[in-house]
Amino acid sequence: MTKVALIGYGYWGPNVARNIYKNKNFDFKYICDKKQDRLDLAKGIYAESLKYVTDYRVVFEDPEVEAVALAVETSAHFKLAKEAMLCGKHVYVEKPLTDSVEDAKELKRVSQETNKILHVDHIMVYHPVIKKIKEIIDSGDLGEIMYFDCSRINLGQLKNDVSAMWDLGVHDLSIIDFLSNGANPIDVNAMGENFYSKKESITFMNIRYDGFLANVRSSWLSPIKERRIIIAGSRKMIVYDDVDVLNKLIVYDKGFDVIDRNNMEYDEYVVKSRSGDALIPKLNQEDALFNSLDHFRQCSEEGRQSMTDPDAAIRVLTVLEEAEKCLQKK
Ligand SMILES: NC(=O)c1ccc[n+]([C@@H]2O[C@H](COP(=O)([O-])OP(=O)(O)OC[C@H]3O[C@@H](n4cnc5c(N)ncnc54)[C@H](O)[C@@H]3O)[C@@H](O)[C@H]2O)c1
C-alpha cells in the first residue's frame, strides 16, 4: 500500500482525490492546498480520514509519505516536483509536466539521481478508447498511418498561465506519441491568437512526423464542444468522438485500393475508393484517471518506469516548444 498525499485541490484536484480515495491500494494521508477554503471543501468530503495542511513542506518532511500527487498550476509543477523527489517521494504530476523542455530534462535528471519515479498524467494514454485504438493499430488492421486529425474545442474556461495548445493540445500530442511509439516530429508549424486571455486561447498546430502528418486544433472559443480524433490508415480509418455517448469509437473499412500499379497507361496509379463495413468495438468500462494513478502506484511499488515517464513528456514538450516559437513570430 502506497502512502500518498495530494497537493492542489482546485478544479482538477478533487478528481485526483476521489480516484486516490477509491483505490484501496493507496493509503491516503494528506490533502494540501495553500487556500484554506479549498481544504474546508475537501474536509467536508473526507472528514477525519486524512490530514489537511496549507504548507506543502509539512507533507514533504513527513517520512511516512512515500508518494505525492501534484494537481497544482502548470507553472508550479517544476519546483514542487523537484523538491518532492529530493525529499525522497515518488511523484505523480499533472500534464503538462513543465512549461519548458529544459525544466523537464532537469526533473528527469533528479528522478534518476534520487531513484524516484516521476509519472506524468498523460491521462489519455490510460483511457480505454485509446488503449483499444492502440490494440487495433498494433494488430496492423489500420495499415500504415497517414494522418491524425485532432479537434479539442469548446467554450472553455480561459487560462492565463497556459495557452490552449499547452493545456488541450498536450492531450492530443500525448495520444499521438503513445499510438506511434514515440514517433519523431520532423517539422512543426503553428498559429494562434490570444483573444480574451494573456496566452493564446485558440491554436492550430500542423506537425510532420516521421511517416505521417498531424493537425491539432485547440480552442476555448468554440460554440460547440468537440473531442474528436480521426486516424486515417492505408487500410482502415478510425473516428474517436468522445462527445458521442453511444458510438465513441468507430472503425471504418474505408479508403482507396490501388487497382493497377504496373500497366499504368497515363503514368498514374489506378485507384478505387472502398466503402465497406463500420465496426463499433466493445470498450472496457474503465476510468482513465483511476488507471493513471494506479499505474503510478504500481511503478512506485515495483521501482519501474512509468509508461508516461519524463522521456514521453520531453517528446511532447519538444513539439509544444517548437510550436511556441511559431506563435512568437506573429
Ligand atoms: N488530466 C486532465 O485531464 C486535467 C484536467 C484539468 C487540469 N489538469 C491539470 O491539473 C493541474 C491543476 O489545474 P487546475 O485547473 O485544477 O488548477 P487550479 O488553479 O484550479 O488549482 C490549483 C490548486 O493548487 C493550489 N496550489 C498551487 N500552488 C500550491 C502550493 N505551492 N501549495 C499548495 N497548494 C498550491 C492552488 O491554491 C489551487 O487550489 C494543471 O496542471 C492542469 O493542467 C489536468
Side-chain angles (χ1 to χ4, degrees), residues 7-14 32-35 38 53-56 70-74 76-77 80 92 94-96 121 123 157 159 162 166-167 171 289:
I7 322 278
Y9 197 80
Y11 161 70
W12 189 246
C32 165
D33 198 296
K34 60 186 177 189
K35 295 180 188 154
R38 299 306 302 172
V53 290
T54 49
D55 185 351
Y56 70 87
L70 299 178
V72 294
E73 298 89 330
T74 303
H77 289 179
L80 291 186
Y92 164 106
E94 269 307 329
K95 59 81 201 164
D121 181 33
I123 186 169
Q157 185 197 2
K159 295 200 170 167
V162 280
W166 282 82
D167 191 56
H171 286 302
L289 185 53

Side-chain angles (χ1 to χ4, degrees), residues 302-320:
E302 294 163 20
R304 64 181 159 96
Q305 279 300 313
S306 160
M307 278 204 293
T308 47
D309 62 3
D311 283 327
I314 288 166
R315 287 193 298 272
V316 165
L317 292 171
T318 301
V319 176
L320 285 170

Side-chain angles (χ1 to χ4, degrees), residues 11 95 152-171 193-204 217-227:
Y11 161 70
K95 59 81 201 164
R152 210 168 280 273
I153 62 176
N154 62 310
L155 199 65
Q157 185 197 2
L158 298 167
K159 295 200 170 167
N160 283 316
D161 67 328
V162 280
S163 65
M165 66 184 188
W166 282 82
D167 191 56
L168 300 174
V170 65
H171 286 302
E193 196 55 77
N194 29 344
F195 296 115
Y196 307 116
S197 58
K198 284 190 191 141
K199 298 272 173 101
E200 290 76 5
S201 44
I202 178 163
T203 55
F204 303 120
R217 291 180 295 284
S218 318
S219 163
W220 292 304
L221 297 179
S222 165
I224 56 156
K225 179 170 178 171
E226 271 185 15
R227 295 285 184 269

Side-chain angles (χ1 to χ4, degrees), residues 2 16 19 21 34 62 75 83 86 95 102 113 159 180 183 212-213 218 238 244 250 261 288 292 310 325 328 330:
T2 301
V16 179
N19 281 284
Y21 189 74
K34 60 186 177 189
D62 183 339
S75 49
E83 221 171 306
L86 290 172
K95 59 81 201 164
E102 191 187 348
E113 194 180 276
K159 295 200 170 167
S180 67
F212 60 89
L213 304 173
S218 318
I238 277 180
D244 192 322
I250 304 182
R261 268 177 204 274
S292 174
K325 285 182 199 160
Q328 298 314 322
K330 74 168 182 252

Side-chain angles (χ1 to χ4, degrees), residues 146 158 297:
M146 297 188 287
L158 298 167
R297 179 192 64 75

Side-chain angles (χ1 to χ4, degrees), residues 4 12-28 46 69 92 94 119-128 131 284-299 307-308:
V4 68
W12 189 246
N15 297 325
V16 179
R18 199 177 54 249
N19 281 284
I20 292 177
Y21 189 74
K22 76 176 182 201
N23 187 332
K24 295 304 160 217
N25 291 315
F26 273 124
D27 184 359
F28 200 178
Y46 302 103
Y92 164 106
E94 269 307 329
H119 166 96
V120 188
D121 181 33
H122 284 174
I123 186 169
M124 296 307 292
V125 166
Y126 302 94
H127 194 289
K131 284 160 70 176
N284 291 336
Q285 292 300 316
E286 293 172 8
D287 187 300
L289 185 53
F290 183 92
N291 286 348
S292 174
L293 281 156
D294 199 52
H295 181 70
F296 165 62
R297 179 192 64 75
Q298 285 174 37
C299 291
M307 278 204 293
T308 47

